[in-house]
Amino acid sequence: FSSRRRHTRYPLVTGVQTCALPIWKGFDGRKRRSPTPDELRLQAYHALANRITSLYWFNLSLKSLLKYPDLITPITRVNREIRLLDELLLRSTAFHYEAVPAGERPDWEISVLAASDAALLVVNDVGYTIDDKTNTFSFQRRKGPWNFPRPPWLSQQAAIFRVDADGTHDVTASVGEQLQISDEVLVAGIYVVSDNPGLRQQLQDKLQQLLAHEATLKIDPGNQESDLQLLRDAAK
């Protein structure tokens, strides 16, 4: 987050795409050194949508988390989504990327990660604004529709559903030569299209296993002040 230029284009994957990221002037142009919750989610899905499997910047130090505890729950949710979709993420191939502008301004970025029996469709909102007082991204809930190319080995009878840290959800969609989704997203939307009729239930079952594992940790500093204090004590 430091450069002489206010904005630049930073290549996430050489030869695949470039991503609009904010670059602030000097070290005092932006007081918040860690991402906001929305910025964190945007950066995560810019990487994951291109099949980058190592988010080296993502799990912040304890010192940073205690300074910005509003990131604990967003990190937990993205990590849960990654674990929920990990097999599909690992065995998929970057199949399609497209920047969809609004006039001369960036608006949406859509990506397809394709595997043999399913594909991940990712929508990233790059039509954000910049808060000039805090030098942070500002997002609003925004609606599609979006069109994705259908991997030709997936049939026109394939099912489409949305996935997030709370599970799977019905979505308005159609499958033809193109995959069309109409939805409302905040920052990013993640969708699965599959010919496997059991995949959705498998993901729901896996989510319950992940939630059960999280419960065994017996700490929830993102929602419990007493647990957050335990982290503060551990950092001393």
Side-chain angles (χ1 to χ4, degrees):
F1 287 103
S2 63
S3 173
R4 294 179 181 178
R5 299 184 64 183
R6 178 64 180 270
H7 303 286
T8 191
R9 306 290 291 185
Y10 179 81
L12 285 174
V13 181
T14 302
V16 176
Q17 72 154 325
T18 56
C19 159
L21 295 178
I23 305 297
W24 314 122
K25 296 178 180 178
F27 286 101
D28 57 354
R30 174 182 165 114
K31 293 182 179 180
R32 182 175 176 125
R33 292 291 178 238
S34 293
T36 67
D38 286 345
E39 290 170 349
L40 181 140
R41 186 169 186 82
L42 179 69
Q43 292 179 60
Y45 279 100
H46 267 302
L48 292 168
N50 288 284
R51 206 185 171 282
I52 294 173
T53 56
S54 178
L55 303 182
Y56 69 91
W57 53 267
F58 185 65
N59 287 300
L60 304 178
S61 67
L62 181 56
K63 180 180 178 180
S64 294
L65 281 178
L66 292 176
K67 188 172 183 178
Y68 303 107
D70 59 344
L71 292 174
I72 295 175
T73 295
I75 287 175
T76 301
R77 290 181 63 83
V78 172
N79 278 341
R80 189 188 302 157
E81 290 163 359
I82 293 172
R83 290 296 307 277
L84 184 60
L85 296 167
D86 55 6
E87 291 185 11
L88 185 52
L89 285 166
L90 289 170
R91 60 187 176 87
S92 63
T93 297
F95 179 81
H96 178 78
Y97 164 78
E98 182 180 357
V100 183
E104 296 182 354
R105 292 179 56 85
D107 199 34
W108 301 101
E109 291 180 350
I110 61 174
S111 302
V112 180
L113 300 180
S116 59
D117 63 339
L120 279 175
L121 315 176
V122 182
V123 175
N124 277 305
D125 180 1
V126 292
Y128 50 78
T129 58
I130 302 295
D131 186 320
D132 289 330
K133 294 182 179 179
T134 62
N135 279 344
T136 57
F137 288 27
S138 180
F139 294 85
Q140 304 292 329
R141 286 195 171 274
R142 303 176 61 210
K143 294 183 178 180
W146 310 281
N147 291 308
F148 305 81
R150 174 174 58 86
W153 56 89
L154 296 180
S155 76
Q156 295 190 23
Q157 285 70 51
I160 299 178
F161 52 90
R162 178 164 50 87
V163 178
D164 61 24
D166 300 316
T168 66
H169 311 272
D170 293 335
V171 67
T172 301
S174 62
V175 180
E177 291 304 315
Q178 296 274 311
L179 306 171
Q180 184 177 81
I181 296 176
S182 181
D183 199 15
E184 182 179 79
V185 302
L186 177 63
V187 182
I190 306 96
Y191 307 89
V192 171
V193 55
S194 179
D195 280 317
N196 180 352
L199 179 58
R200 184 169 181 177
Q201 187 58 53
Q202 291 170 18
L203 292 175
Q204 285 292 144
D205 293 343
K206 187 173 183 178
L207 175 66
Q208 295 309 308
Q209 296 171 10
L210 293 172
L211 291 172
H213 174 70
E214 290 177 24
T216 65
L217 302 177
K218 297 182 180 180
I219 186 169
D220 186 9
N223 295 296
Q224 297 291 337
E225 177 61 31
S226 58
D227 289 345
L228 182 60
Q229 186 58 47
L230 290 176
L231 294 185
R232 295 190 183 106
D233 294 341
K236 292 180 181 178

